[in-house]
PDB file of all heavy atoms in Angstrom:
ATOM      1  N   ALA A  32      41.470 -14.545 -42.667  1.00  0.00           N
ATOM      2  CA  ALA A  32      41.333 -15.867 -42.015  1.00  0.00           C
ATOM      3  C   ALA A  32      42.641 -16.602 -42.099  1.00  0.00           C
ATOM      4  O   ALA A  32      42.975 -17.318 -41.245  1.00  0.00           O
ATOM      5  CB  ALA A  32      40.242 -16.643 -42.756  1.00  0.00           C
ATOM      6  N   ASN A  99      80.829 -39.829 -54.482  1.00  0.00           N
ATOM      7  CA  ASN A  99      80.355 -40.789 -55.492  1.00  0.00           C
ATOM      8  C   ASN A  99      79.638 -41.968 -54.949  1.00  0.00           C
ATOM      9  O   ASN A  99      79.005 -42.681 -55.795  1.00  0.00           O
ATOM     10  CB  ASN A  99      81.699 -41.385 -56.130  1.00  0.00           C
ATOM     11  CG  ASN A  99      82.517 -40.413 -56.825  1.00  0.00           C
ATOM     12  OD1 ASN A  99      81.990 -39.564 -57.565  1.00  0.00           O
ATOM     13  ND2 ASN A  99      83.823 -40.343 -56.584  1.00  0.00           N
ATOM     14  N   THR A 120      52.555 -29.525 -48.500  1.00  0.00           N
ATOM     15  CA  THR A 120      51.739 -29.470 -47.297  1.00  0.00           C
ATOM     16  C   THR A 120      51.655 -28.074 -46.708  1.00  0.00           C
ATOM     17  O   THR A 120      50.627 -27.588 -46.293  1.00  0.00           O
ATOM     18  CB  THR A 120      52.191 -30.473 -46.199  1.00  0.00           C
ATOM     19  OG1 THR A 120      52.280 -31.790 -46.880  1.00  0.00           O
ATOM     20  CG2 THR A 120      51.209 -30.574 -45.129  1.00  0.00           C
ATOM     21  N   GLY A 130      44.014 -17.270 -61.605  1.00  0.00           N
ATOM     22  CA  GLY A 130      43.396 -16.505 -62.653  1.00  0.00           C
ATOM     23  C   GLY A 130      42.732 -17.302 -63.648  1.00  0.00           C
ATOM     24  O   GLY A 130      43.201 -18.331 -64.048  1.00  0.00           O
ATOM     25  N   LEU A 165      39.401 -22.667 -43.342  1.00  0.00           N
ATOM     26  CA  LEU A 165      39.730 -22.085 -42.068  1.00  0.00           C
ATOM     27  C   LEU A 165      40.129 -23.164 -41.139  1.00  0.00           C
ATOM     28  O   LEU A 165      39.340 -23.992 -40.654  1.00  0.00           O
ATOM     29  CB  LEU A 165      38.459 -21.346 -41.589  1.00  0.00           C
ATOM     30  CG  LEU A 165      37.951 -20.215 -42.380  1.00  0.00           C
ATOM     31  CD1 LEU A 165      36.715 -19.618 -41.818  1.00  0.00           C
ATOM     32  CD2 LEU A 165      39.045 -19.137 -42.523  1.00  0.00           C
ATOM     33  N   LEU A 196      79.223 -44.253 -43.635  1.00  0.00           N
ATOM     34  CA  LEU A 196      80.084 -44.387 -44.819  1.00  0.00           C
ATOM     35  C   LEU A 196      81.532 -44.050 -44.494  1.00  0.00           C
ATOM     36  O   LEU A 196      82.424 -44.763 -44.925  1.00  0.00           O
ATOM     37  CB  LEU A 196      79.564 -43.454 -45.934  1.00  0.00           C
ATOM     38  CG  LEU A 196      80.366 -43.459 -47.238  1.00  0.00           C
ATOM     39  CD1 LEU A 196      80.361 -44.915 -47.908  1.00  0.00           C
ATOM     40  CD2 LEU A 196      79.766 -42.455 -48.284  1.00  0.00           C
ATOM     41  N   GLU A 207      92.120 -53.829 -46.004  1.00  0.00           N
ATOM     42  CA  GLU A 207      92.977 -54.105 -47.181  1.00  0.00           C
ATOM     43  C   GLU A 207      94.444 -53.964 -46.859  1.00  0.00           C
ATOM     44  O   GLU A 207      95.217 -54.757 -47.338  1.00  0.00           O
ATOM     45  CB  GLU A 207      92.545 -53.163 -48.322  1.00  0.00           C
ATOM     46  CG  GLU A 207      93.116 -53.519 -49.677  1.00  0.00           C
ATOM     47  CD  GLU A 207      94.528 -52.866 -49.853  1.00  0.00           C
ATOM     48  OE1 GLU A 207      94.779 -51.816 -49.211  1.00  0.00           O
ATOM     49  OE2 GLU A 207      95.330 -53.453 -50.635  1.00  0.00           O
ATOM     50  N   TYR A 228     113.873 -75.627 -48.858  1.00  0.00           N
ATOM     51  CA  TYR A 228     113.557 -76.816 -49.545  1.00  0.00           C
ATOM     52  C   TYR A 228     114.611 -77.133 -50.595  1.00  0.00           C
ATOM     53  O   TYR A 228     115.054 -78.293 -50.705  1.00  0.00           O
ATOM     54  CB  TYR A 228     112.227 -76.682 -50.253  1.00  0.00           C
ATOM     55  CG  TYR A 228     111.851 -77.801 -51.231  1.00  0.00           C
ATOM     56  CD1 TYR A 228     111.471 -79.095 -50.716  1.00  0.00           C
ATOM     57  CD2 TYR A 228     112.027 -77.593 -52.601  1.00  0.00           C
ATOM     58  CE1 TYR A 228     111.177 -80.062 -51.664  1.00  0.00           C
ATOM     59  CE2 TYR A 228     111.677 -78.654 -53.464  1.00  0.00           C
ATOM     60  CZ  TYR A 228     111.321 -79.859 -52.986  1.00  0.00           C
ATOM     61  OH  TYR A 228     111.035 -80.890 -53.911  1.00  0.00           O
ATOM     62  N   SER A 299      91.657 -43.761 -30.326  1.00  0.00           N
ATOM     63  CA  SER A 299      90.822 -44.365 -29.286  1.00  0.00           C
ATOM     64  C   SER A 299      90.676 -43.482 -28.052  1.00  0.00           C
ATOM     65  O   SER A 299      89.867 -43.799 -27.114  1.00  0.00           O
ATOM     66  CB  SER A 299      91.499 -45.647 -28.763  1.00  0.00           C
ATOM     67  OG  SER A 299      91.695 -46.548 -29.811  1.00  0.00           O
ATOM     68  N   LEU A 309      75.353 -37.822 -24.458  1.00  0.00           N
ATOM     69  CA  LEU A 309      76.094 -37.585 -25.651  1.00  0.00           C
ATOM     70  C   LEU A 309      75.368 -38.208 -26.893  1.00  0.00           C
ATOM     71  O   LEU A 309      75.559 -37.821 -28.016  1.00  0.00           O
ATOM     72  CB  LEU A 309      77.573 -38.034 -25.559  1.00  0.00           C
ATOM     73  CG  LEU A 309      78.518 -37.157 -24.794  1.00  0.00           C
ATOM     74  CD1 LEU A 309      79.867 -37.823 -24.700  1.00  0.00           C
ATOM     75  CD2 LEU A 309      78.632 -35.774 -25.446  1.00  0.00           C
ATOM     76  N   ARG A 313      73.744 -38.033 -31.909  1.00  0.00           N
ATOM     77  CA  ARG A 313      73.878 -38.931 -33.105  1.00  0.00           C
ATOM     78  C   ARG A 313      72.763 -38.717 -33.961  1.00  0.00           C
ATOM     79  O   ARG A 313      71.527 -38.547 -33.542  1.00  0.00           O
ATOM     80  CB  ARG A 313      73.860 -40.414 -32.504  1.00  0.00           C
ATOM     81  CG  ARG A 313      75.179 -40.923 -31.960  1.00  0.00           C
ATOM     82  CD  ARG A 313      75.137 -42.294 -31.580  1.00  0.00           C
ATOM     83  NE  ARG A 313      74.393 -43.196 -32.449  1.00  0.00           N
ATOM     84  CZ  ARG A 313      74.767 -44.490 -32.587  1.00  0.00           C
ATOM     85  NH1 ARG A 313      75.883 -44.925 -31.998  1.00  0.00           N
ATOM     86  NH2 ARG A 313      74.059 -45.251 -33.342  1.00  0.00           N
ATOM     87  N   ALA A 328      52.260 -35.206 -34.332  1.00  0.00           N
ATOM     88  CA  ALA A 328      51.444 -34.224 -35.048  1.00  0.00           C
ATOM     89  C   ALA A 328      50.350 -34.866 -35.807  1.00  0.00           C
ATOM     90  O   ALA A 328      49.234 -34.281 -35.984  1.00  0.00           O
ATOM     91  CB  ALA A 328      52.375 -33.410 -36.026  1.00  0.00           C
ATOM     92  N   ILE A 330      48.534 -37.204 -34.943  1.00  0.00           N
ATOM     93  CA  ILE A 330      47.398 -37.482 -33.974  1.00  0.00           C
ATOM     94  C   ILE A 330      46.487 -36.224 -33.959  1.00  0.00           C
ATOM     95  O   ILE A 330      45.234 -36.243 -33.954  1.00  0.00           O
ATOM     96  CB  ILE A 330      47.886 -37.758 -32.559  1.00  0.00           C
ATOM     97  CG1 ILE A 330      48.585 -39.136 -32.518  1.00  0.00           C
ATOM     98  CG2 ILE A 330      46.806 -37.733 -31.559  1.00  0.00           C
ATOM     99  CD1 ILE A 330      49.138 -39.495 -31.186  1.00  0.00           C
ATOM    100  N   GLY A 331      47.126 -34.946 -34.002  1.00  0.00           N
ATOM    101  CA  GLY A 331      46.326 -33.749 -34.043  1.00  0.00           C
ATOM    102  C   GLY A 331      45.495 -33.703 -35.297  1.00  0.00           C
ATOM    103  O   GLY A 331      44.327 -33.298 -35.225  1.00  0.00           O
ATOM    104  N   ALA A 413      82.367 -50.619 -27.862  1.00  0.00           N
ATOM    105  CA  ALA A 413      83.588 -49.985 -28.301  1.00  0.00           C
ATOM    106  C   ALA A 413      84.538 -49.592 -27.124  1.00  0.00           C
ATOM    107  O   ALA A 413      85.833 -49.766 -27.179  1.00  0.00           O
ATOM    108  CB  ALA A 413      83.287 -48.769 -29.172  1.00  0.00           C
ATOM    109  N   VAL A 449     122.538 -80.049 -32.198  1.00  0.00           N
ATOM    110  CA  VAL A 449     121.814 -80.367 -30.988  1.00  0.00           C
ATOM    111  C   VAL A 449     120.348 -80.506 -31.281  1.00  0.00           C
ATOM    112  O   VAL A 449     119.661 -81.473 -30.807  1.00  0.00           O
ATOM    113  CB  VAL A 449     122.038 -79.343 -29.854  1.00  0.00           C
ATOM    114  CG1 VAL A 449     121.199 -79.697 -28.687  1.00  0.00           C
ATOM    115  CG2 VAL A 449     123.524 -79.239 -29.498  1.00  0.00           C
ATOM    116  N   VAL A 470      99.000 -59.147 -36.751  1.00  0.00           N
ATOM    117  CA  VAL A 470      98.414 -58.257 -37.732  1.00  0.00           C
ATOM    118  C   VAL A 470      96.918 -58.172 -37.469  1.00  0.00           C
ATOM    119  O   VAL A 470      96.288 -57.078 -37.452  1.00  0.00           O
ATOM    120  CB  VAL A 470      98.658 -58.662 -39.151  1.00  0.00           C
ATOM    121  CG1 VAL A 470      97.970 -57.875 -40.186  1.00  0.00           C
ATOM    122  CG2 VAL A 470     100.255 -58.608 -39.425  1.00  0.00           C
TER     123      VAL A 470
END
Side-chain angles (χ1 to χ4, degrees):
N99 300 311
T120 307
L165 295 180
L196 178 62
E207 189 276 333
Y228 171 77
S299 302
L309 281 176
R313 282 182 40 148
I330 292 179
V449 178
V470 173

